[in-house]
Amino acid sequence: MATTLPAPIEFSLPDGWLSAPPDEVGAPQAAFVALHPASAAGFTANITISGEVRADDATLAHLAEQAAARLRRDVGAVEVGRRNELESAYTQVLRLTAPVGGRPVELVQLQVFLAMADVRDEHRRAVLEIVLSATPAQFEDLVDDFQAFLKTVRPDEGASR
């Protein structure tokens, strides 16, 4: 069953991306999934959003390391590429081979971890994990879309609390 996000957010999908029910596309750990149908030759590039409320002092770098370790446990070898730490975000690029439709497919993931403080409790924060998954060729074509998407992600100030 699809999860919910720990904080309400709003965003805009770039042209060519369509939202999909997480359970129906095999991503029950995600709260949101967007697919890029035009890239579906063997693998459909996708963006997933998941998140959790954290009351500990784990750094975003540590959470990124945990995400890479989960992938290693689930699919095997994961190569960690460029990492970048910003004020309230952390990014990492991963290369892995995952089984897709019964065959191994080489994938690239750009994982972005965003922290949003809880305005009512300074000891808690929401951490969002936003991921672009694509083949290497798709990644080159779609990384600009993903970066444009990330610029639109923001707290939903109008959401009821």
Side-chain angles (χ1 to χ4, degrees):
M1 179 177 201
T3 63
T4 58
L5 291 176
I9 61 171
E10 57 186 16
F11 51 82
S12 299
L13 286 173
D15 290 340
W17 290 86
L18 301 172
S19 63
D23 289 329
E24 291 180 23
V25 295
Q29 77 289 354
F32 177 82
V33 175
L35 303 176
H36 191 264
S39 67
F43 180 80
T44 303
N46 60 79
I47 295 171
T48 59
I49 304 175
S50 58
E52 62 184 339
V53 173
R54 304 289 301 211
D56 59 15
D57 60 356
T59 65
L60 294 178
H62 180 73
L63 298 177
E65 289 172 14
Q66 288 180 330
R70 268 193 316 275
L71 274 174
R72 282 187 190 97
R73 187 177 58 246
D74 293 345
V75 301
V78 172
E79 177 187 328
V80 178
R82 185 188 80 236
R83 288 180 160 165
N84 188 24
E85 188 160 9
L86 305 167
E87 184 176 328
S88 60
Y90 190 90
T91 65
Q92 68 181 3
V93 177
L94 305 176
R95 288 187 171 270
L96 58 130
T97 301
V100 177
R103 63 182 181 78
V105 175
E106 184 181 344
L107 297 176
V108 178
Q109 282 194 348
L110 175 50
Q111 298 180 336
V112 178
F113 298 84
L114 297 175
M116 299 181 347
D118 186 329
V119 295
R120 292 173 295 211
D121 182 350
E122 66 185 39
H123 295 65
R124 293 170 28 114
R125 63 193 165 131
V127 176
L128 301 179
E129 183 178 346
I130 306 171
V131 180
L132 168 64
S133 298
T135 66
Q138 293 167 341
F139 186 84
E140 293 301 319
D141 291 339
L142 298 174
V143 70
D144 289 343
D145 277 3
F146 185 62
Q147 290 171 336
F149 168 75
L150 289 172
K151 289 178 184 175
T152 71
V153 175
R154 61 192 168 277
D156 184 353
E157 303 294 336
S160 59
R161 307 242 174 198

